Amino acid sequence: MVHEMKRLGRGALELLKVAEELRDAEIELEFLTGPLAGKHDPSGHGAALFAFFAAMAESERDYIRDKTLEGQETARTKGKAIGGVKVSDQDMLATALRLRDDERLSLREIASRLVIRTGKKRGQHPAPATVMRMLREHDEQTTTGTLEPTT
């Protein structure tokens, strides 16, 4: 039982693979919502219908992705920033580097020891992904020889 088809897989190929595995195991599939709401036997008539809607779902995802990228490019050409506000500064970077290099802590442990000092998120810890990005940018700048301030 699945809420809707897009919860079953990310693309048509993955959806069809799942349908084939269900068919091989003789498992019936039930969608609770969407164009395929109801029970379906992944073999026979149900397989063709499933393949059609899987292809349509992938097409819709591609369209949404393309429109999102177009919007981001338009925003960039107009000088608008894409993404969130930077929460790191040179002090945070220095602390993160020390924790990574000297104490050999994980990204999650480093993030839990850092505190954002400005903006709406002041007083909170940065996400581990933010720490990873900050350290990666520093490492890339160090290897290319262009040390620019990370803000």
Side-chain angles (χ1 to χ4, degrees), residues 10-93:
R10 292 181 174 253
L13 190 60
E14 190 175 345
L15 287 167
L16 294 173
K17 183 179 177 190
V18 169
E20 185 178 324
E21 290 171 358
L22 293 173
R23 184 184 63 238
D24 292 347
E26 297 181 8
I27 296 173
E28 197 172 72
L29 184 60
E30 181 178 2
F31 293 106
L32 299 177
T33 62
L36 288 177
K39 289 186 178 187
H40 299 278
D41 181 0
S43 58
H45 177 69
L49 192 60
F50 189 81
F52 171 75
F53 280 111
M56 293 302 296
E58 179 146 344
S59 175
E60 181 183 358
R61 270 191 293 279
D62 289 344
Y63 176 77
I64 290 169
R65 182 180 183 279
D66 290 344
K67 287 298 179 185
T68 300
L69 293 174
E70 278 179 31
Q72 289 175 346
E73 187 58 35
T74 300
R76 278 190 204 95
T77 59
K78 292 180 179 180
K80 296 185 178 180
I82 304 295
V85 176
K86 296 257 184 193
V87 297
S88 60
D89 57 22
Q90 288 300 315
D91 291 338
M92 186 182 287
L93 173 61

Side-chain angles (χ1 to χ4, degrees), residues 85-92 114-126 150-151:
V85 176
K86 296 257 184 193
V87 297
S88 60
D89 57 22
Q90 288 300 315
D91 291 338
M92 186 182 287
L114 299 175
V115 177
I116 299 169
R117 297 190 313 174
T118 61
K120 283 199 252 182
K121 295 187 176 190
R122 191 171 111 212
Q124 297 178 21
H125 301 291
T150 304
T151 54

